[in-house]
Amino acid sequence: SQFTLYASYKKGNRPSWFRAARHEISVPLYEEFCTKLSAALGRQVGTGEFGADMKVELLNDGPVTICMDTKNKE
């Protein structure tokens, strides 16, 4: 799985993850989400190593929706 949990675009041209949850908070949240999703689907959801360095190659086909708060820029 690949998740971006929180990013700020307030400054510069790259997102910052400075205010994102730390590993000790985000890992249990991720695991709980996967457990609840598996229960809701009635089957095991595949997972990987949280926070792993990944080399990803893909072809995007379709639109992407990014929600941005234009007042707070976060």
Side-chain angles (χ1 to χ4, degrees), residues 42-63:
R43 62 186 173 100
Q44 188 66 33
V45 172
T47 61
E49 180 183 342
F50 186 89
D53 183 25
M54 299 183 298
K55 305 293 184 244
V56 179
E57 183 177 331
L58 69 134
L59 173 64
N60 284 337
D61 183 15

Side-chain angles (χ1 to χ4, degrees), residues 2-57:
Q2 182 179 359
F3 281 87
T4 300
L5 303 176
Y6 185 90
S8 172
Y9 60 96
K10 191 177 241 181
K11 180 176 152 188
N13 60 0
R14 292 191 178 140
S16 167
W17 289 271
F18 179 75
R19 293 178 56 195
R22 297 181 51 82
H23 202 78
E24 59 271 7
I25 294 171
S26 55
V27 170
L29 287 174
Y30 169 78
E31 290 171 350
E32 181 180 355
F33 172 78
C34 292
T35 299
K36 288 186 177 184
L37 183 59
S38 293
L41 293 173
R43 62 186 173 100
Q44 188 66 33
V45 172
T47 61
E49 180 183 342
F50 186 89
D53 183 25
M54 299 183 298
K55 305 293 184 244
V56 179
E57 183 177 331

